[in-house]
Amino acid sequence: MRVTRLLFDERGAQEARIDRIARAVGVNKAIIYRSFASKDELFALTVTDYLRELAGRLDGLEGDESRAALREACERYTRFCLEYPAFLDGALSLTRQPAAELRDSVSDAVWLRLGRAMAACLAVLSGILAAGAERGEFAVADADFAANRLYAQVLGTMHLARVGVGVRAAAPGIPETFVLDPERVRAACVEDAMAIAGVA
């Protein structure tokens, strides 16, 4: 996974083709195909590795002040997305299909590993949201749903930072692009997350 992740970080997930991974590892690509059920499985394992690192960065955030903890969690999550744009590529690639289809394209072991890695990150967010709701800091009825929504929303919004441009109408029927500052996107993401929690 280390080599695959290096290729993801250097070239982006979409450019990390099986033949390049095989060359980097020094094996025939047939061995890669025999080792993994699909490219989705390889993506899932690589995203799992990123998620483990992200969970480590989120560790220890639960505290007496849920608003501050949630803001800090979102700061760390969005900065992680900026640091590893290939994490965005891989995570979004896995979500391009319904979960049942992804489930059919990976082994039981990989599915379990991916689920555990996601759950570790989501548990931190859910714990902060639940504690904040209990203290009246957040207007959240279902902390697990809110955590999943927050996780997915950040991935989608931070992809704007990855793309680097927005689109607008310069005149009727004439589109133009404009540059998006990644830091502006990241800051907006954090504020959106606070809004999901019901914090003005």
Side-chain angles (χ1 to χ4, degrees):
M1 288 299 83
R2 186 178 57 79
V3 172
T4 306
R5 187 167 157 177
L6 284 171
L7 285 172
F8 271 39
D9 290 337
E10 285 175 11
R11 300 174 182 267
Q14 300 308 320
E15 295 301 315
R17 295 195 322 260
I18 298 295
D19 57 335
R20 285 187 177 152
I21 294 167
R23 273 198 308 272
V25 176
V27 299
N28 186 296
K29 69 179 178 180
I31 293 172
I32 302 284
Y33 284 116
R34 280 198 301 266
S35 302
F36 301 99
S38 63
K39 189 170 183 180
D40 281 341
E41 185 163 283
L42 185 59
F43 271 48
L45 285 170
T46 306
V47 169
T48 297
D49 193 57
Y50 282 113
L51 287 168
R52 275 197 217 107
E53 182 176 337
L54 176 58
R57 293 189 187 191
L58 296 176
D59 192 38
L61 283 175
E62 299 88 349
D64 293 335
E65 218 288 293
S66 296
R67 288 181 186 151
L70 181 61
R71 183 171 292 280
E72 182 60 25
C74 293
E75 291 279 349
R76 292 181 191 186
Y77 180 21
T78 55
R79 289 189 192 287
F80 186 83
C81 290
L82 284 182
E83 185 177 349
Y84 296 115
F87 163 66
L88 284 172
D89 290 349
L92 288 169
S93 176
L94 291 178
T95 59
R96 78 186 186 286
Q97 59 193 317
E101 289 178 21
L102 175 61
R103 177 67 188 92
D104 288 342
S105 68
V106 300
S107 68
D108 291 344
V110 169
W111 183 254
L112 181 62
R113 287 169 70 180
L114 177 63
R116 283 178 176 161
M118 287 184 71
C121 294
L122 290 166
V124 175
L125 296 175
S126 184
I128 292 169
L129 290 164
E134 190 174 307
R135 287 195 283 263
E137 294 179 53
F138 300 144
V140 172
D142 183 338
D144 292 326
F145 173 73
N148 277 268
R149 183 177 162 208
L150 193 152
Y151 171 80
Q153 183 172 305
V154 168
L155 285 178
T157 303
M158 288 306 293
H159 191 64
L160 279 174
R162 175 86 164 115
V163 172
V165 296
V167 179
R168 63 185 166 210
I174 301 176
E176 72 174 2
T177 60
F178 60 97
V179 175
L180 287 174
D181 174 21
E183 189 56 33
R184 179 183 180 193
V185 175
R186 193 199 64 72
C189 242
V190 173
E191 295 313 313
D192 289 347
M194 301 306 286
I196 285 175
V199 178

